[in-house]
Amino acid sequence: MSVTLAEGQSHEKGTRPMAGFAQPGSLARSGHSGCLSRQEASELSWRLSALAVFRRLLADPVLADVRACIDAVASEADWEARVACYADTLHRLYESGEASLGSYVRDVTLADENAYLRFLGAGKVIAPSLKAALEAELLTLNAVAALVPQGLLGELPDGVDLASLPRFETTLIDLPAAYAERVAGLWRHGYGIYARYHVFDVDEEGAIAPVRFPDPIRLSDLVDYERERAQIWDNSVALLDGRPAANMLLTGDAGTGKSSTVKAVVNELAPRGLRILEVRKRQLQAIPQILEELTHNPLKFIIFIDDLSFSCEDDNFAALKAILEGSVSAKSDNVVIYATSNRRHLVRESFSEREGDDVHLNDTMQEIVSLSDRFGIHVSFTKPDKATYLDIVRKLASDAQLGMDSAELELQAERFALRRGGRSARGARQFVDGLLSRVPAHAAAQSPISRTRQPKEET
């Protein structure tokens, strides 16, 4: 996409003119005062009203207040009303976590989901009229991003000290260039909520929703199980690279790191365009609709089903089997399904089922095992033996800089496993976390584990 800046527009690395804004088209600068004239404000107002590609931005709270300020200047509202409107705008801007109007406008514009990006992401031909509308609207939004405080306030009477009013930071923005860069990286960054977040789930209404505080676990936090991790990593990279990627079933004992490995892989690959959507078992029948929504997205997705198991009469059993074996949308090039289970064949079996209440016993048993066979790759996470368990404990303790005697560490770790009824990678981490909880606060704060495993809100 090629976008040319109109004359008079400011650049991020340039010098801001002494005008109320850097304007598109015929909008003239308002001299040295930095205020918008009534004519300038009126033109910017109707240009905003005419937004079509970026029309959703008109509902943004901060931009709605900015627009109200522009309208107040255009209508020559009382100066006290203009000051109040300006203060409302700054309040909303500050509440958003931003202090620069230009940066805010840039961020919401780049994150906006619109028809242009959807068409582009789906590989459709962009109509010249749509491209022209996009370019014109970027210039309008760039004018808003370039506003200075005087531009939102208008002329103030003598005796009103501008320095006594709150101000927002002025950041020099080249929005058309920033948008062109974002479009060039669409297959890595995405658009809309997929540009801001990389972990999602499905809400009660069946809509895809972002997880604002995802588990920050990294591959460096995991110990052992290198072969299992490599299989998940390689398949996920194949998906990103556009090579054939398989649906994966991860089975094994509880606490062996199945879910943590998937989350860690996604966290590592998110900058390359990988996203994860967790679906609960009771939501499986919503997967076809979800796949339809994701199919034309430029990013790559893992639909993640954690701790999966069924009874033979479970309707979700048939739903997932149909998706894996026959759904056209399930074979989308940008979506795979990863599931974890503590059961090899996913179905809880009773002795009566094995003994043959059903006349067609063989067919019943084949039905039970058939679901797991629908996954192209099966990775088994086995419970660690003593040597592996203690190796995990030692590495976690070393990362946490506990400095505990090795023999005493291993003795306590074995006692911990005995009380818990067995060894596991999760148990090893819980044991080390328990030791950390007894370390003085100032020492625990220096622990790499305490620093790296705290969830942070994505922005």
Side-chain angles (χ1 to χ4, degrees), residues 247-269:
N247 298 320
M248 299 189 76
L249 175 62
L250 284 56
T251 62
D253 297 295
T256 49
K258 302 182 294 294
S259 300
S260 294
T261 301
V262 173
K263 293 173 183 176
V265 166
V266 173
N267 287 342
E268 300 287 350
L269 295 176

Side-chain angles (χ1 to χ4, degrees), residues 313-380:
E313 296 78 19
D314 196 330
D315 291 339
N316 289 309
F317 175 90
L320 181 58
K321 184 179 176 184
I323 291 167
L324 291 172
E325 71 181 359
S327 171
V328 174
S329 57
K331 297 179 181 178
S332 301
D333 292 337
N334 68 326
V335 181
V336 292
I337 297 174
Y338 289 4
T340 71
S341 179
N342 296 339
R343 299 174 182 271
R344 171 64 178 84
H345 295 305
L346 302 179
V347 180
R348 295 188 295 271
E349 302 173 60
S350 66
F351 284 111
S352 61
E353 285 165 347
R354 286 187 174 273
E355 291 168 359
D357 287 349
D358 195 322
V359 175
H360 304 289
L361 173 61
N362 186 61
D363 291 345
T364 300
M365 298 309 297
Q366 286 299 318
E367 180 75 7
I368 289 173
V369 301
S370 65
L371 181 58
S372 60
D373 290 341
R374 295 298 187 276
F375 290 88
I377 298 177
H378 178 201
V379 183
S380 180

Side-chain angles (χ1 to χ4, degrees), residues 198-199 211-218 221-222 259-268 276 278 429 452-458:
H198 76 278
V199 180
V211 176
R212 299 180 184 276
F213 295 92
D215 186 345
I217 190 169
R218 312 293 292 194
D221 296 325
L222 304 177
S259 300
S260 294
T261 301
V262 173
K263 293 173 183 176
V265 166
V266 173
N267 287 342
E268 300 287 350
I276 186 169
E278 184 164 1
R429 181 170 293 280
T452 60
R453 294 300 304 279
Q454 297 300 316
K456 296 180 181 179
E457 182 176 13
E458 294 197 339

Side-chain angles (χ1 to χ4, degrees), residues 14 40 71 109-110 116 122 191 201 205 217 247 259 261 267 323 329:
E40 292 167 344
D71 289 343
T109 302
L110 295 183
Y116 178 85
Y191 52 76
D201 59 15
E205 285 71 41
I217 190 169
N247 298 320
S259 300
T261 301
N267 287 342
I323 291 167
S329 57

Side-chain angles (χ1 to χ4, degrees), residues 392-418:
I392 296 172
V393 168
R394 285 191 296 268
K395 290 179 180 177
L396 291 175
S398 176
D399 289 344
Q401 301 175 2
L402 283 175
M404 189 174 179
D405 176 74
S406 180
E408 179 64 20
L409 177 70
E410 293 179 8
L411 179 62
Q412 290 193 31
E414 277 290 276
R415 289 174 177 171
F416 183 88
L418 184 62

Side-chain angles (χ1 to χ4, degrees), residues 153-164:
L153 284 163
E155 292 286 352
L156 297 177
D158 294 338
V160 177
D161 184 8
L162 184 63
S164 66

